[in-house]
Each structure stands twice: as C-alpha cells, then as structure tokens.
Amino acid sequence: MEVIRIIWLFFQDQILGMKWMNALIGNALTAMGLSLDSIIGGALQFFIYDTVKIFILLSVLIFGISYIQSYFPPERTKKILGRFHGIGANSVAALLGTVTPFCSCSSIPIFMGLWKSKAS
C-alpha cells in the first residue's frame, strides 16, 4: 500500500503539479542572476511557470476533447438523447455532460456542434 501511495504522490507532484518545471525555471532564473526571494524574481518565476503550465494543460485538454468529439459526434448525442423523455432525458444529458470539463474550450465547440445538428 505504501508503494501505491509513493507512486501517487510522485504522479501528483511531478506530473500533474509540474514541480520539476517550477524547479527548472527557478534554476534558470537563478543562473541569470535573479534571486527567487526578491519580489521581481518570485513574480517572474510564478508568471513563467503558470503561463507554461496553463498552456500545456489547455493543449492536452483541447486535444483530448477534440479526440473524444471525433468519435462521439453531436448526431450520436442527439440520437442517444432522442430515446429519452422528461427527467430521464435530463439525467442522461447530465451524465453525458460530465465527460467534458466545464470550460469554454470544450462546452462552446460541443454546443456549436449540437446547434448545427439541430438537436432539440
């Protein structure tokens, strides 16, 4: 059980948290002569780290959602939702909605696809 915990912590810190990148940026800024304890150095490290991290995460997210949408077109969603009525339709629609994150990078393309396929 301890091995699984160690693997999970590594995955959480190094892969999802990208602490390796934060350390790399900190080392690069230190090599350029900036102190990470100063306001400018700390702010610059935070800005570069968060900008790159958000870009990577959004790129992976958009790629993943696009890949899912290529196998799950709006017509198929319309066909699935067309079999249900009332509260059952709302429940199935909510379940289908949980596979996508709630941000504009996925909800707007899905909405536009459903609108183009004239989903009710």
Side-chain angles (χ1 to χ4, degrees), residues 10-22:
F10 175 80
F11 180 76
Q12 187 177 8
D13 290 342
Q14 299 300 326
I15 307 299
L16 296 178
M18 296 184 193
K19 287 190 176 184
W20 60 270
M21 186 173 55
N22 195 20

Side-chain angles (χ1 to χ4, degrees), residues 22-48:
N22 195 20
L24 182 70
I25 293 169
N27 291 339
L29 291 175
T30 302
M32 289 192 292
L34 283 171
S35 171
L36 299 180
D37 295 328
S38 69
I39 293 175
I40 298 290
L44 193 58
Q45 180 188 19
F46 175 77
F47 177 77
I48 294 170

Side-chain angles (χ1 to χ4, degrees), residues 48-101:
I48 294 170
Y49 167 69
D50 268 6
T51 301
V52 173
K53 183 173 88 170
I54 289 170
F55 177 76
I56 290 170
L57 292 174
L58 280 177
S59 297
V60 169
L61 180 72
I62 290 170
F63 175 77
I65 293 300
S66 299
Y67 187 75
I68 290 170
Q69 283 181 337
S70 69
Y71 288 103
F72 202 70
E75 293 81 19
R76 187 171 177 194
T77 306
K78 181 180 175 184
K79 184 178 174 183
I80 291 171
L81 292 176
R83 291 185 272 170
F84 298 95
H85 300 287
I87 206 154
N90 289 338
S91 300
V92 172
L95 288 172
L96 286 173
T98 59
V99 298
T100 60

